[in-house]
Amino acid sequence: MNSSFWTQADDNRPDLLCGRPADYLIIKDHFIVLLCSTVVFGGFLKTCLKNFEVIVLTILSLSGFVIGQLAYHFVEVHQIVYPLLRTPSFSLYCYFLPIIIFMAALDVDFYILRNVFWQVLLIGLISFFTALLTTGYVVLKFVGESWDFQSGLLFSMILGITDPLHSVNLLKTMGISKMYTDIIRGESLIFSGITSIIFGLFRSTTVHISMFRELNVVMGLFLDIFGSIICGYWCARIIQFILTDLFSNTLTNVILCFSLVYMTFYIVEVLGMSGIVALVTVGLNLDSLSFKPRMEFIITKFLIMCSSVYHHLIYTFFGIVIGCGEIKYFTFHTVVFIFILFATVNFVRFLTILLVSPIFMRLSYEYNWRWGIIITWSGIKGALSLLLAPDIYNLAEQKVEAPQMFIFYVQAISLLTMGINSYMMTWSARRLGLCTISLPRQMAMENVIQHIQEIIQNTITLLKTEKILTNVNWNLVEEKAKIEYIIPFSPISHDGDEEEEPPTEEVLTEEARLHVAIIQMSSFEKQCNDGILGVDAARILIGATKSYCPIQGKFMSIYDVSTYVKARSWLMKFKNMLTFLQYKKEKAPFIPPGSYKFLIYVYHIVFSEEFEYTGHIITLMYIYPMIIHLWPVARDLNVSTLISLNYYFMFLYVLESALKIIILKRKYFRQHWNTLQFCIIIIGVIDIFCMYFVRLRPDNLVLIQFTVVIGYFRIFRFLPIFKIVIPALINIVDEQIKKRLSLMYGITKGYVKSQEDAKLFVRQISGCESIYQKFYEILDTNKRDAVKELGLIEHECRDVVIALKTKQAIRNVIAKALKNLTFLWSRGIIDKYEGIEMNKVLLTKIKALNNFPMAIPPPTPDKYLNNIIWLENKDALIEFFKERAKLAYFDYGDVICKEGEMPQGIYLIISGMAILHSSPPTFGIQRSLRPDRESKTVYTEYCTSGDVIGELNCLLKREFEYTVICETILQACFISLEDLYEGFDVFWPTLEYKIWLKLALSTAYQYFESSLVDEDLKFQKCVVLNHAYVETLSSYNEMTINNVTMKFVIIVYGSVIDTKTEEPYFAPCIIPKTCEQVQGTSDLSKLLIIRASEPAKNNDSATTMSKG
């Protein structure tokens, strides 16, 4: 409904908004100089006044006013600014607004806004009508003599718009929940959308409100809202498709994003809809996952730069427009009216927040009167109001003498709210104690600082070993590298001299819970960027996390995610319905020899494919007669022909069913489609008799009406044709089910990884030990439930899971190749052109994974031996155990091994899932000697395809410390204890050592992943390069630790003591750097030693290992 931005109606708009027309030759080249000078001057001011945006905009506005006054008095200056004065106001609106609106919408979290959409819509409507009524009353009260009602109405709408960028910039630095900032920004966008739609209606409808027609208004609103939303959604999908292309470069993405925003706005406006609503929809549907990794930061920075330049130009240009008017209209009344408007705008904001406070309190327990005061001061007006201000004069019923005053009032209120409201917001937050960082955040910051300090100290210690740095003043290095960061606290309490009470455990728990959710969302995004998690799966997980965040005390479980996704439920029901309706060809009955030739002939006819196809052809041929029957005019002209054709087709239907009944007899009615066909024949016979009786009694109206209704039932004759389509539909549904299962498997796998990541950092954000223990148990339980779901999905459709794992493995291999290519490229081993070509080849392979098959048949059981990591895919080892391995089958509830029993061998799970229950592992230490000997915690894990059971027990020939029970039907590859030890003898000593190395690495990663995050401890690398190795200590044997060559020494089995301090260390444990020599105290102790990097390799001769 908006008029096009290039076709403004000249009769509704004067040539110039203000100023005098040109009476000289216009030269437009000078305006470019003004434009560039404004950009440069604004950039210089922003550089000098980084944190004072309002001062920058005020200086630019005053500069523009001075330029305007010079243009009013001097022709030379007027010649420069004249192109600006001739520019239609709607054109300025279309030049500057799209980027500003898109930036605001892009920063809003779609998932949070979706959860509180109706509340935000209600807040937006309350804000709109409150501003319209209150501000409109004040405006008409004070300037009603010079302004008409329509001007006052439009002016009050414009002053009610909250700037979506400046209003929340300060709130984000105060620690306020993002939900509040998104609600404020969402309310601002809704207000802006409503105002733009109303202004569009005014532009498209001739001057007067009374001339609105109801139908035009309703259709216009429908197009502006729903049409714009649909266009915006599809434009967002197109932008997302372009920006996620692997082959697009940074420059191309930036240019495309910038241009597509404008193209979306202009196309929607040309189609007669609201470009603002469309851009809001585009911004909401794009998130960090819509861009390539690290691309969002670059594009966002570019858009922020453009937005900043646009603000400088807007305030300067409108300052020029105001200056080109006459000064006589600036009186004392003008100043008074500005302050009245400022007070009114803030009162309206206060009244709005007061009315919507119950909604805020319902949304979050954190909201209180203090946050209400802060949010009240956030009603800052900005560029959106300013860009719409010139339209007040253009759309007014009565033209005023000073149109520039509309712009002046809006610009003055904008600058006042930016300055005063921003200051009051910051001052109130400090005064009310809302700038204090919560205890979990303080703990996280302290731990981060401590961790960085440890890294710096380790780096300094490592650099001291370099010969080239022997003359460095290390005391000065340590002094300058020391981090001194004071975490800000709020020194002002709420009750004067009284100290603020420490937060309760409930508050600390809730804040830590929200921090855990942030860690999980960061994990999802990182997995997606690394290619581990699909974009759809990551987006669903992030959306589900944000959906459950506002629920106090709620930890999202995998079952909550399944509910959020609603995976495959309706698809399975639809497939079951299709399977029930699927046509199953009847089995041919036995025809004894010597039967009638007629039966044998009918038998061959009925069970031939030609018979089936003939029935379908007959059904399709009846389409044309049915069309004639449903068309009244054609039916009246062909009554006798239709009756004859009906007899003919009914004869064919009866013949087909009769032949089937002769052969199948009672079995005929066991097939649903045969029953349907028989019912169609019965209805057809009734139809024929009714038509016959109508001929006999043509005056019976009831009989005629009944015959007409029965005639429409002939359409049921086409139902049997759908049995041809059902197999194709089943195949389509199967594909969709596989996609949903694949998606659910990826979601569950990503959820498991996020739980592991959260467990690593939960101690750093917990306020006390009790919260840490509670959180750790919850995260561990959620992880076990998710692993169980993984096993069930894998058991349900192994082929889909195998395809997904294979696809992930291919992606990981190519990603590793890309990383190595980048390294070789950066070292100059290959030149730039070769690197680009090789990079394209690898990216092409990654892109080809989009067409990877959804399902891969599972391998044969003997192929699963390749999954045993310590066999290293060596043919000799695999062939040796393949000859001796046996297949074992277990039913649901069967016990594979029981705690306290001696091992019979190891089990490699091929398919199915088992649950493992155990008490705390002893690691070869008597429970009476362990520090946690009182612990009675029962550990639970789930074992799925590829897991190995019984390795450690077979190595030690000791009883099982756990019980494994089948959760599903399970198939496993069994290698007996005798065959395993025979392998040890044949492949001595490497095989037994490799099993210990594999167990040591898994134990180290399980308990110390956060400490080993920077170590590349892949099994193959440790075997080939000896990056990590296992040392064995018997009782009373000693080992010297060299901290130069050994980066970590981890005891993974048994126990040792420090020979110097006699301090005991029980597995699993990282031996501290202060320990120089250890002695074994168990019958068998295993230590995993991780070598130091390059400097240590040059000092191999210094490594001393002694055993007594």
Side-chain angles (χ1 to χ4, degrees):
M1 296 295 293
N2 298 340
S3 59
S4 174
F5 57 89
W6 54 71
T7 57
Q8 290 290 324
D10 292 336
D11 54 344
N12 295 336
R13 178 182 58 82
D15 290 340
L16 298 177
L17 184 62
C18 60
R20 54 186 172 82
D23 51 2
Y24 49 81
L25 181 63
I26 301 172
I27 303 175
K28 297 183 179 181
D29 296 342
H30 298 305
F31 181 71
I32 302 299
V33 177
L34 175 64
L35 184 71
C36 296
S37 302
T38 304
V39 174
V40 172
F41 184 52
F44 175 76
L45 289 175
K46 194 172 180 65
T47 304
C48 298
L49 304 169
K50 293 181 180 179
N51 299 322
F52 301 96
E53 180 72 13
V54 62
I55 298 178
V56 174
L57 296 178
T58 304
I59 293 173
L60 290 172
S61 300
L62 292 175
S63 302
F65 180 79
V66 172
I67 295 172
Q69 281 294 297
L70 292 174
Y72 185 79
H73 292 93
F74 301 100
V75 174
E76 292 81 4
V77 183
H78 190 270
Q79 187 177 10
I80 296 174
V81 303
Y82 187 73
L84 172 64
L85 302 179
R86 286 286 296 172
T87 303
S89 59
F90 190 62
S91 297
L92 292 176
Y93 173 85
C94 295
Y95 295 157
F96 295 124
L97 198 61
I99 289 295
I100 297 174
I101 288 292
F102 178 72
M103 274 293 303
L106 188 63
D107 198 40
V108 175
D109 196 308
F110 171 73
Y111 301 102
I112 293 178
L113 194 65
R114 183 177 62 181
N115 293 334
V116 295
F117 173 75
W118 294 111
Q119 293 90 330
V120 173
L121 181 62
L122 182 60
I123 291 170
L125 293 175
I126 291 173
S127 175
F128 177 80
F129 288 108
T130 305
L132 188 66
L133 297 175
T134 309
T135 310
Y137 173 79
V138 173
V139 168
L140 295 175
K141 189 74 174 176
F142 283 89
V143 290
E145 297 178 357
S146 55
W147 293 6
D148 62 353
F149 176 77
Q150 191 163 309
S151 299
L153 182 72
L154 297 175
F155 184 78
S156 61
M157 282 185 200
I158 288 174
L159 275 188
I161 300 176
T162 303
D163 188 272
L165 296 178
H166 291 97
S167 60
V168 299
N169 284 343
L170 279 174
L171 290 177
K172 291 193 290 187
T173 63
M174 294 179 184
I176 190 171
S177 172
K178 194 173 189 309
M179 182 174 64
Y180 294 129
T181 61
D182 285 345
I183 288 174
I184 294 170
R185 193 164 270 173
E187 173 254 332
S188 174
L189 293 174
I190 288 174
F191 204 129
S192 304
I194 294 173
T195 305
S196 69
I197 290 172
I198 292 175
F199 270 73
L201 290 172
F202 273 101
R203 292 191 196 101
S204 60
T205 309
T206 48
V207 182
H208 209 273
I209 297 179
S210 60
M211 296 180 67
F212 281 6
R213 292 184 178 179
E214 292 80 359
L215 182 60
N216 290 340
V217 173
V218 171
M219 289 300 298
L221 288 175
F222 182 83
L223 281 175
D224 281 332
I225 298 173
F226 297 103
S228 302
I229 290 173
I230 293 171
C231 289
Y233 174 80
W234 285 109
C235 289
R237 298 279 76 80
I238 294 171
I239 293 173
Q240 182 177 339
F241 175 78
I242 294 173
L243 295 183
T244 52
D245 184 24
L246 291 172
F247 293 98
S248 60
N249 54 41
T250 304
L251 181 60
T252 305
N253 281 339
V254 171
I255 294 173
L256 280 173
C257 185
F258 183 80
S259 57
L260 286 171
V261 168
Y262 275 99
M263 191 174 73
T264 301
F265 179 83
Y266 292 153
I267 290 175
V268 173
E269 286 286 338
V270 169
L271 294 175
M273 295 176 283
S274 173
I276 297 298
V277 177
L279 284 182
V280 169
T281 307
V282 172
L284 290 176
N285 280 279
L286 296 178
D287 53 20
S288 58
L289 301 178
S290 302
F291 304 89
K292 289 199 304 183
R294 296 175 295 277
M295 190 61 64
E296 182 195 17
F297 176 79
I298 299 171
I299 292 177
T300 305
K301 283 294 181 185
F302 177 78
L303 294 177
I304 290 173
M305 179 193 71
C306 293
S307 176
S308 179
V309 171
Y310 285 179
H311 276 85
H312 295 169
L313 292 174
I314 289 168
Y315 280 85
T316 306
F317 286 173
F318 283 108
I320 293 173
V321 172
I322 295 170
C324 287
E326 298 183 7
I327 304 180
K328 67 178 182 179
Y329 298 105
F330 295 94
T331 61
F332 179 73
H333 175 269
T334 305
V335 178
V336 173
F337 185 55
I338 287 173
F339 284 103
I340 291 174
L341 284 177
F342 176 74
T344 303
V345 164
N346 284 293
F347 173 75
V348 168
R349 186 68 177 175
F350 170 75
L351 185 61
T352 302
I353 299 302
L354 191 65
L355 292 174
V356 302
S357 287
I359 300 176
F360 280 145
M361 296 178 72
R362 178 71 181 270
L363 291 176
S364 175
Y365 74 98
E366 295 177 345
Y367 182 81
N368 51 37
W369 64 270
R370 297 185 181 93
W371 283 120
I373 293 174
I374 302 300
I375 296 173
T376 300
W377 286 113
S378 67
I380 298 172
K381 314 304 171 185
L384 272 72
S385 302
L386 204 52
L387 287 169
L388 287 170
D391 273 342
I392 299 175
Y393 175 75
N394 297 335
L395 302 175
E397 291 181 312
Q398 300 175 4
K399 304 301 180 184
V400 297
E401 296 180 359
Q404 73 273 15
M405 297 308 294
F406 293 118
I407 304 173
F408 174 73
Y409 288 135
V410 174
Q411 191 159 355
I413 296 300
S414 172
L415 293 173
L416 282 174
T417 52
M418 276 189 197
I420 298 175
N421 289 27
S422 298
Y423 173 77
M424 289 302 299
M425 202 188 310
T426 308
W427 182 84
S428 302
R430 290 174 179 170
R431 190 68 183 171
L432 296 173
L434 298 178
C435 291
T436 305
I437 297 177
S438 63
L439 186 58
R441 288 180 62 189
Q442 293 175 20
M443 292 182 61
M445 292 174 67
E446 289 174 355
N447 286 314
V448 168
I449 294 169
Q450 182 180 355
H451 180 64
I452 294 174
Q453 195 65 54
E454 289 176 359
I455 292 175
I456 292 173
Q457 194 60 44
N458 291 338
T459 304
I460 293 173
T461 304
L462 194 61
L463 289 175
K464 286 180 180 180
T465 62
E466 293 282 353
K467 294 181 180 180
I468 197 171
L469 299 176
T470 52
N471 297 328
V472 173
N473 187 341
W474 291 109
N475 292 330
L476 185 60
V477 172
E478 291 178 356
E479 181 182 349
K480 296 296 182 182
K482 187 177 181 181
I483 299 177
E484 295 180 357
Y485 179 77
I486 300 175
I487 300 175
F489 295 92
S490 177
I492 302 173
S493 63
H494 308 317
D495 303 318
D497 297 331
E498 296 182 7
E499 293 185 358
E500 186 179 0
E501 295 182 359
T504 61
E505 183 174 338
E506 182 182 1
V507 174
L508 292 177
T509 302
E510 187 62 19
E511 291 183 349
R513 182 188 70 86
L514 296 176
H515 213 123
V516 167
I518 294 172
I519 293 173
Q520 289 178 333
M521 287 187 285
S522 300
S523 174
F524 299 143
E525 191 165 345
K526 184 178 184 301
Q527 292 179 61
C528 182
N529 292 335
D530 293 341
I532 300 173
L533 194 62
V535 175
D536 292 336
R539 189 172 280 119
I540 288 171
L541 284 167
I542 292 173
T545 305
K546 290 177 179 177
S547 297
Y548 290 106
C549 259
I551 304 175
Q552 187 173 0
K554 175 66 177 177
F555 283 84
M556 184 183 70
S557 68
I558 191 61
Y559 305 114
D560 296 325
V561 182
S562 301
T563 304
Y564 180 83
V565 179
K566 297 178 181 177
R568 75 182 186 277
S569 57
W570 71 271
L571 286 173
M572 292 299 294
K573 292 177 181 177
F574 186 54
K575 182 186 175 182
N576 292 336
M577 184 184 71
L578 291 176
T579 305
F580 176 77
L581 294 176
Q582 188 177 12
Y583 177 70
K584 301 176 182 64
K585 198 169 183 178
E586 297 88 349
K587 293 182 180 180
F590 175 71
I591 302 295
S595 300
Y596 294 107
K597 292 182 180 180
F598 174 74
L599 286 178
I600 298 173
Y601 180 70
V602 172
Y603 169 83
H604 288 297
I605 291 176
V606 170
F607 290 97
S608 64
E609 293 185 359
E610 291 80 1
F611 185 77
E612 291 291 332
Y613 295 146
T614 304
H616 299 324
I617 292 171
I618 293 171
T619 304
L620 293 173
M621 287 172 60
Y622 192 68
I623 292 176
Y624 182 73
M626 192 65 202
I627 294 173
I628 300 299
H629 177 76
L630 296 174
W631 189 2
V633 177
R635 183 176 61 235
D636 294 339
L637 297 175
N638 300 277
V639 174
S640 60
T641 305
L642 289 175
I643 294 173
S644 301
L645 285 173
N646 187 37
Y647 293 158
Y648 173 71
F649 280 102
M650 279 303 303
F651 170 74
L652 294 177
Y653 289 144
V654 171
L655 178 62
E656 180 185 0
S657 295
L659 292 175
K660 287 185 177 181
I661 292 174
I662 290 172
I663 299 299
L664 297 174
K665 298 180 174 59
R666 294 181 180 178
K667 292 181 180 179
Y668 174 82
F669 294 99
R670 295 179 184 176
Q671 175 65 258
H672 304 295
W673 291 103
N674 292 340
T675 306
L676 175 65
Q677 190 175 20
F678 188 79
C679 292
I680 291 171
I681 292 172
I682 297 296
I683 294 173
V685 172
I686 295 172
D687 181 25
I688 291 173
F689 277 105
C690 286
M691 292 177 65
Y692 175 74
F693 288 127
V694 166
R695 286 186 174 183
L696 296 178
R697 304 286 297 273
D699 54 343
N700 193 328
L701 294 178
V702 175
L703 182 60
I704 293 172
Q705 290 176 351
F706 182 76
T707 304
V708 171
V709 173
I710 287 292
Y712 285 113
F713 282 7
R714 296 178 189 177
I715 200 168
F716 291 152
R717 298 177 186 180
F718 298 108
L719 290 179
I721 202 70
F722 286 103
K723 64 185 178 184
I724 305 175
V725 185
I726 286 178
L729 289 176
I730 291 176
N731 292 333
I732 294 172
V733 171
D734 276 334
E735 287 296 318
Q736 294 301 317
I737 289 174
K738 288 178 181 178
K739 286 182 181 179
R740 301 295 287 182
L741 285 171
S742 178
L743 176 65
M744 197 61 210
Y745 188 85
I747 289 171
T748 310
K749 196 172 181 181
Y751 179 84
V752 171
K753 183 69 171 68
S754 74
Q755 298 300 108
E756 293 173 352
D757 293 341
K759 284 167 66 177
L760 293 176
F761 303 108
V762 68
R763 185 180 291 277
Q764 281 76 12
I765 60 174
S766 302
C768 57
E769 185 64 24
S770 61
I771 295 177
Y772 165 71
Q773 291 294 338
K774 177 182 177 182
F775 277 34
Y776 193 90
E777 290 176 5
I778 292 173
L779 293 172
D780 197 49
T781 302
N782 288 345
K783 178 188 171 182
R784 288 200 306 269
D785 292 341
V787 173
K788 179 181 178 181
E789 286 295 306
L790 281 177
L792 292 174
I793 294 173
E794 188 166 350
H795 177 70
E796 184 177 348
C797 50
R798 290 176 61 197
D799 52 350
V800 175
V801 175
I802 289 171
L804 192 63
K805 289 182 176 179
T806 306
K807 180 180 177 180
Q808 185 61 56
I810 296 171
R811 189 180 181 89
N812 291 341
V813 170
I814 299 174
K816 185 71 174 177
L818 280 170
K819 187 177 179 180
N820 292 332
L821 176 62
T822 305
F823 174 79
L824 297 174
W825 192 351
S826 63
R827 294 297 187 271
I829 298 174
I830 57 176
D831 60 21
K832 183 177 180 180
Y833 177 76
E834 293 172 344
I836 291 174
E837 292 301 317
M838 293 180 67
N839 190 64
K840 286 182 179 179
V841 172
L842 294 175
L843 290 179
T844 304
K845 289 185 175 295
I846 291 179
K847 196 170 184 179
L849 292 177
N850 295 330
N851 301 320
F852 198 78
M854 291 297 301
I856 296 178
T860 55
D862 59 299
K863 298 292 183 183
Y864 271 90
L865 289 174
N866 297 328
N867 294 341
I868 301 180
I869 193 169
W870 39 265
L871 294 182
E872 298 182 273
N873 276 331
K874 292 185 176 179
D875 295 337
L877 284 167
I878 292 174
E879 288 298 326
F880 177 84
F881 286 107
K882 186 188 295 185
E883 295 173 356
R884 293 160 176 78
K886 300 176 183 178
L887 286 178
Y889 297 92
F890 299 93
D891 203 349
Y892 170 77
D894 288 351
V895 177
I896 298 177
C897 57
K898 193 173 182 180
E899 186 174 1
E901 292 181 349
M902 289 297 295
Q904 302 298 319
I906 63 174
Y907 295 90
L908 169 64
I909 298 178
I910 296 174
S911 64
M913 183 178 66
I915 186 170
L916 184 150
H917 300 286
S918 73
S919 51
T922 60
F923 293 100
I925 307 163
Q926 295 181 10
R927 294 193 184 275
S928 59
L929 300 177
R930 292 191 63 84
D932 56 349
R933 58 184 178 273
E934 300 297 329
S935 174
K936 297 182 180 179
T937 306
V938 177
Y939 292 88
T940 303
E941 292 182 12
Y942 289 95
C943 305
T944 58
S945 176
D947 290 336
V948 181
I949 302 172
E951 289 172 308
L952 181 61
N953 304 92
C954 288
L955 283 174
L956 300 171
K957 291 186 177 179
R958 292 185 181 177
E959 298 87 354
F960 284 110
E961 296 180 354
Y962 48 80
T963 301
V964 181
I965 304 173
C966 294
E967 284 284 295
T968 63
I969 298 174
L970 186 139
Q971 183 182 14
C973 181
F974 175 70
I975 300 175
S976 67
L977 188 65
E978 293 77 11
D979 294 334
L980 183 63
Y981 271 85
E982 183 183 350
F984 290 167
D985 295 336
V986 174
F987 301 100
W988 175 264
T990 58
L991 184 58
E992 185 176 2
Y993 170 80
K994 288 173 183 175
I995 297 178
W996 272 114
L997 177 62
K998 179 254 184 183
L999 293 172
L1001 290 173
S1002 61
T1003 302
Y1005 260 124
Q1006 181 180 356
Y1007 290 93
F1008 310 110
E1009 185 176 357
S1010 58
S1011 301
L1012 305 176
V1013 67
D1014 297 326
E1015 302 298 322
D1016 187 7
L1017 297 180
K1018 292 186 174 143
F1019 179 82
Q1020 198 63 31
K1021 186 173 181 180
C1022 294
V1023 171
V1024 176
L1025 303 178
N1026 205 24
H1027 181 59
Y1029 58 94
V1030 176
E1031 283 290 338
T1032 304
L1033 282 183
S1034 301
S1035 182
Y1036 303 111
N1037 283 4
E1038 296 179 353
M1039 184 184 81
T1040 303
I1041 299 175
N1042 190 333
N1043 288 321
V1044 177
T1045 60
M1046 302 177 182
K1047 189 172 183 180
F1048 291 102
V1049 178
I1050 304 172
I1051 177 168
V1052 294
Y1053 189 82
S1055 60
V1056 297
I1057 61 170
D1058 187 339
T1059 56
K1060 191 173 183 179
T1061 63
E1062 296 188 355
E1063 183 178 354
Y1065 300 107
F1066 300 97
C1069 173
I1070 298 179
I1071 297 177
K1073 297 285 185 182
T1074 55
C1075 182
E1076 298 177 356
Q1077 191 178 51
V1078 293
Q1079 183 184 56
T1081 56
S1082 299
D1083 295 337
L1084 180 68
S1085 298
K1086 293 287 183 177
L1087 291 90
L1088 177 66
I1089 298 168
I1090 302 172
R1091 292 180 181 271
S1093 53
E1094 295 297 330
K1097 291 184 179 180
N1098 299 329
N1099 299 319
D1100 285 341
S1101 58
T1103 305
T1104 55
M1105 301 284 293
S1106 64
K1107 299 183 182 179

